[in-house]
Amino acid sequence: MTNGKIGVMLCGHGSRDVEAIREFDALAHHLRHRLPQYEVESGYLEFAKPIIRTGLDKLKAKGVSRILAVPGMLFAAGHVKNDLPWEINSFAADNPGLDVRYGRELSIDPKLLKAATERIAEAEANAKPGVSRAETLLMVVGRGTNDPDANSNIAKVARMLWEGMGFGWAEIAFSGVAAPLVDRGLAHAARLGYRRIIVFPYFLFTGILVKRIYEWTREAAVAHPDIEFVEAPYLNDHPLVLASFEERLQEILDGEAKMNCQLCKYREQVVGYESSVGATQAGHHHHVRGIGTDDDHDHDHHHGHDHGHHHHHHHDD
């Protein structure tokens, strides 16, 4: 195994939303303080700067002999399975003298579930008194992708929080791509007879999508004044999120960074996605890489930007 200085590359999705980038940068700042033994850089797949290649080049310039690249993302959809490996593998191919390793996404983790529990309890503490969890419906909202394996993780998170916290019911919804979207999900949930509905975005950071989730929640509150709608905060830089990133890095060092590929549509014939098996690994963010956030320029290109064969439609977030 190669000895010498180790670099950590935190790989973000990127957003046009300035607050989202600020929060991701804050997380990278926290990790630098928690990991003084490593050189830590960060970068983004799209919109924001620095781009991932810039961060990797900075680590190389600092004289590291090994780079541990970890996705700053919750679930393994197209970005984690395709776009990020393409970025990391391209850099590794251009720098054969460096030992470059790619880690796994945060996934469903006891620490993250505990962080989610605390975010939801925080929202309850600020809500009206006198409503029990048995009278409360929890709605867990995911980003939404066209990867059914990633989407199914939201259902598992919701189930574990439902049972673990003792809510009367739980539902899931998505901010885009997958069904049901939050507005339809809330309309359905409102008919189930619960006094309170807590909407919890299972997201790391804010952004266009999280803000849209909260907007839909407020619209539902107006449409159903007899129900209390509560907006729970997303995960952000909760200490247990930071601890989960450290765990992922240790997995790389221990040689245990294995992705669960059993239900990956790129490797197995998953129902409805049979044609995705064996799709070529390629980057799909060239047209939006490093073009800037909303603070950099007032552009009005509200495209849904399809990224090639796996169609994210993630609305610039």
Side-chain angles (χ1 to χ4, degrees):
M1 186 171 287
T2 308
N3 295 316
K5 191 155 53 167
I6 295 176
V8 170
M9 181 66 204
L10 182 61
C11 304
H13 180 284
S15 174
R16 289 193 303 147
D17 187 281
V18 179
E19 289 179 68
I21 300 306
R22 193 176 298 133
E23 289 180 355
F24 187 88
D25 288 345
L27 183 139
H29 176 76
H30 291 318
L31 281 178
R32 286 188 186 96
H33 279 270
R34 290 174 68 115
L35 302 169
Q37 70 273 35
Y38 302 137
E39 296 287 350
V40 179
E41 292 292 339
S42 61
Y44 301 96
L45 269 177
E46 61 182 39
F47 296 107
K49 295 178 181 177
I51 63 173
I52 288 170
R53 183 65 179 237
T54 299
L56 291 167
D57 285 336
K58 282 184 179 179
L59 290 174
K60 178 183 175 182
K62 290 179 179 180
V64 303
S65 58
R66 303 178 67 192
I67 294 177
L68 315 178
V70 62
M73 299 173 193
L74 288 168
F75 297 133
H79 294 314
V80 170
K81 294 176 179 177
N82 194 354
D83 300 311
L84 284 178
W86 183 86
E87 296 276 354
I88 302 304
N89 291 338
S90 297
F91 174 81
D94 292 340
N95 295 276
L98 291 178
D99 179 8
V100 184
R101 306 287 178 91
Y102 179 59
R104 70 183 178 100
E105 77 288 357
L106 293 178
S107 190
I108 299 174
D109 180 279
K111 289 183 175 65
L112 294 177
L113 288 171
K114 182 71 162 58
T117 298
E118 293 183 11
R119 293 300 193 213
I120 293 164
E122 182 184 329
E124 287 179 306
N126 294 322
K128 297 173 185 175
V131 180
S132 69
R133 284 185 178 168
E135 301 171 291
T136 300
L137 182 148
L138 174 68
M139 176 170 282
V140 180
V141 183
R143 173 183 293 276
T145 75
N146 76 340
D147 189 314
D149 186 24
N151 293 335
S152 70
N153 283 325
I154 288 296
K156 186 169 185 177
V157 168
R159 183 73 205 186
M160 295 185 80
L161 292 173
W162 178 1
E163 292 193 22
M165 299 184 75
F167 288 107
W169 200 264
E171 292 282 328
I172 65 168
F174 299 95
S175 62
V177 185
L181 294 181
V182 177
D183 53 348
R184 292 194 64 186
L186 287 174
H188 171 76
R191 295 196 292 269
L192 299 181
Y194 289 87
R195 292 178 60 192
R196 171 183 289 166
I197 295 176
I198 297 176
V199 179
F200 170 55
Y202 195 70
F203 280 62
L204 283 177
F205 311 107
T206 190
I208 293 167
L209 301 183
V210 169
K211 291 173 181 177
R212 183 182 300 148
I213 291 164
Y214 291 146
E215 285 173 11
W216 272 327
T217 304
R218 288 163 202 153
E219 289 170 6
V222 171
H224 304 279
D226 53 323
I227 302 172
E228 181 189 9
F229 288 82
V230 177
E231 300 171 16
Y234 47 92
L235 294 168
N236 203 358
D237 57 353
H238 191 288
L240 290 171
V241 171
L242 297 170
S244 295
F245 274 113
E246 290 184 51
E247 263 190 9
R248 296 297 167 270
L249 293 171
Q250 192 59 47
E251 286 175 357
I252 305 175
L253 290 171
D254 294 342
E256 297 176 354
K258 296 181 177 68
M259 187 180 291
N260 178 9
C261 294
Q262 277 188 313
L263 293 174
C264 174
K265 70 173 186 173
Y266 296 118
R267 290 162 179 80
E268 300 292 339
Q269 288 202 356
V270 177
V271 175
Y273 292 87
E274 290 84 356
S275 63
S276 296
V277 174
T280 302
Q281 187 181 88
H284 297 93
H285 291 75
H286 305 292
H287 63 300
V288 288
R289 184 184 290 132
I291 66 171
T293 64
D294 284 338
D295 258 13
D296 296 320
H297 44 78
D298 290 320
H299 52 356
D300 193 25
H301 61 286
H302 294 286
H303 48 50
H305 67 273
D306 256 4
H307 290 326
H309 67 267
H310 50 265
H311 311 295
H312 299 307
H313 298 293
H314 44 49
H315 308 286
D316 296 352
D317 194 37

